[in-house]
Amino acid sequence: MVEFDEQLRSLVAQACGHPPGSPQRQKLLTQIIRLTSRRLWKEYTPYYQDALQQTWLYFCRNVCEGLTGQKYDPTYGTVITWLNAYLRRRLQDFYINHNKEQATTVPLRIRQSKSGESSDVIDPVENLAATPETPPILEELEAWVERDLSGELRGTHVKGRPDVNCQVLILKRLPPEVSWKELSEQFGLAIPTLSSFYQRQCLPRLRKFAESEGLI
């Protein structure tokens, strides 16, 4: 484990030695993400993937320059410890917001239960402030979604609503995210309907692409 931590520190030092956005840094950051992803804190909650996505974005923005938070300092702990601390804070935030959302949407959940729809409510995600520099990994994901060469993302949509498809929702949910509450109001669909569709249909496709490209 000590050797692994030293390897990560070395890779971080190498990555930060290259200019932001350069292919060399992007390659090294991708390698770090691939090495650390299996060692991060895991839990089976509806909002884990959103929290993990925010963690990788935080990593890209702050491991070298500290664009949106405290720059990574290896003297205070390992890369894994640093990322796990951030990931757990985000999960705690989501948990608190999730409970708040449930408390304020009880009548909505009752109506949905009577109509036969899922009554699980996924909490809205707080918007992240955009920065002038978009992490290269995020740029790759966004470009893939926008191109949608096979048409699979556009063709996978909520029943009877071709305008509410995976391409639209993934682009909306990439940082800085549009909250589920805003999307619910925009499309006139219940939060559970949107979030459930996103979890079942869109996230697996996004994850498959990211894995095939070695991004996660």
Side-chain angles (χ1 to χ4, degrees):
M1 187 65 181
V2 174
E3 290 182 2
F4 177 75
D5 292 334
E6 288 302 320
Q7 179 188 8
L8 289 183
R9 289 189 186 190
S10 176
L11 289 171
V12 166
Q14 292 176 49
C16 296
H18 295 289
S22 64
Q24 296 91 339
R25 180 185 283 194
Q26 180 178 348
K27 182 179 179 181
L28 287 163
L29 290 181
T30 300
Q31 185 178 352
I32 295 168
I33 289 175
R34 191 182 300 120
L35 287 171
T36 57
S37 61
R38 294 183 180 180
R39 296 176 181 260
L40 289 187
W41 174 261
K42 297 285 195 306
E43 64 179 59
Y44 298 97
T45 52
Y47 37 79
Y48 179 80
Q49 288 300 325
D50 277 334
L52 185 62
Q53 190 178 75
Q54 285 193 14
T55 301
W56 292 133
L57 184 64
Y58 178 82
F59 166 75
C60 292
R61 287 174 169 174
N62 298 289
V63 67
C64 296
E65 281 78 32
L67 296 175
T68 63
Q70 186 69 38
K71 177 183 173 182
Y72 171 64
D73 185 348
T75 62
Y76 285 104
T78 66
V79 174
I80 299 293
T81 302
W82 177 57
L83 290 175
N84 272 336
Y86 183 84
L87 175 58
R88 288 183 179 183
R89 286 199 301 272
R90 296 290 71 77
L91 287 168
Q92 186 177 27
D93 290 344
F94 284 133
Y95 175 76
I96 293 170
N97 288 336
H98 178 68
N99 287 343
K100 286 181 180 177
E101 183 68 20
Q102 283 185 318
T104 57
T105 55
V106 173
L108 176 66
R109 295 176 76 240
I110 291 173
R111 286 199 301 272
Q112 288 160 352
S113 297
K114 287 181 179 178
S115 65
E117 293 183 34
S118 170
S119 60
D120 292 330
V121 177
I122 310 300
D123 68 297
V125 179
E126 293 179 11
N127 288 343
L128 292 178
T131 60
E133 180 188 350
T134 303
I137 292 172
L138 188 59
E139 288 181 345
E140 285 190 36
L141 291 176
E142 190 172 356
W144 170 74
V145 177
E146 289 179 341
R147 285 196 301 267
D148 188 24
L149 297 179
S150 67
E152 181 181 2
L153 298 180
R154 288 189 299 274
T156 307
H157 58 80
V158 174
K159 186 176 181 180
R161 292 294 300 273
D163 58 317
V164 187
N165 55 58
C166 282
Q167 183 186 48
V168 169
L169 290 179
I170 291 175
L171 289 174
K172 295 280 189 183
R173 294 296 294 165
L174 286 177
E177 297 97 337
V178 177
S179 72
W180 289 119
K181 185 176 181 181
E182 289 180 77
L183 291 175
S184 174
E185 293 171 353
Q186 179 181 340
F187 295 120
L189 293 171
I191 290 175
T193 300
L194 289 171
S195 60
S196 175
F197 172 79
Y198 183 78
Q199 295 283 339
R200 289 183 294 101
Q201 300 293 343
C202 306
L203 267 185
R205 289 173 167 82
L206 180 61
R207 198 175 302 121
K208 183 178 178 181
F209 168 75
E211 289 173 350
S212 69
E213 296 296 309
L215 300 179
I216 60 174

